[in-house]
């Protein structure tokens, strides 16, 4: 199943850990705080556990939305998508 994961995390360090975790699960960044990708049920459960462990009691928010194929095919993109890349030496996201 395809999932859209979005987050609102104010702590820079935690936000970086969450984005790295999502990439480790094979998800693709589509916006600064949004990832998309396919996850089997066991991987989704594992990701949920890992996210809960990372966030702990912090007042932060991660949302996971399942996207069926019909819903995903109905998406609309306005404008040109940006490519996101982490620049290691500066630890910030740059747009290309």
């Amino acid at each position: 199943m395809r999932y859209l994961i979005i987050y609102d995390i104010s702590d820079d360090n935690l936000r970086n850990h969450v984005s790295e975790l999502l990439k480790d699960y094979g998800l693709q960044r589509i916006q600064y705080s949004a990832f998309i990708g396919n996850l089997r049920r066991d991987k989704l459960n594992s990701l949920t556990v890992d996210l809960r462990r990372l966030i702990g009691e912090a007042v932060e928010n991660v949302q996971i939305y399942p996207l069926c194929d019909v819903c995903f095919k109905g998406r609309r993109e306005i404008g040109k998508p940006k490519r996101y890349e982490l620049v290691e030496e500066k630890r910030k996201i740059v747009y290309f």
Side-chain angles (χ1 to χ4, degrees), residues 17-80:
H17 284 331
V18 167
S19 68
E20 289 301 315
L21 178 67
L22 296 174
K23 285 192 263 183
D24 288 346
Y25 274 85
L27 300 169
Q28 177 186 8
R29 186 188 294 270
I30 57 171
Q31 288 191 358
Y32 186 70
S33 296
F35 283 76
I36 197 165
N38 292 312
L39 294 169
R40 294 187 328 251
R41 183 179 305 234
D42 61 322
K43 290 294 183 185
L44 175 63
N45 292 338
S46 178
L47 174 61
T48 301
V49 168
D50 289 345
L51 286 169
R52 284 191 176 128
R53 180 183 47 78
L54 270 178
I55 292 173
E57 297 297 316
V59 181
E60 306 293 3
N61 185 269
V62 177
Q63 298 180 36
I64 302 173
Y65 295 93
L67 296 175
C68 70
D69 289 338
V70 172
C71 294
F72 184 72
K73 287 178 184 174
R75 80 187 183 284
R76 292 185 172 94
E77 279 189 60
I78 312 306
K80 295 181 181 178

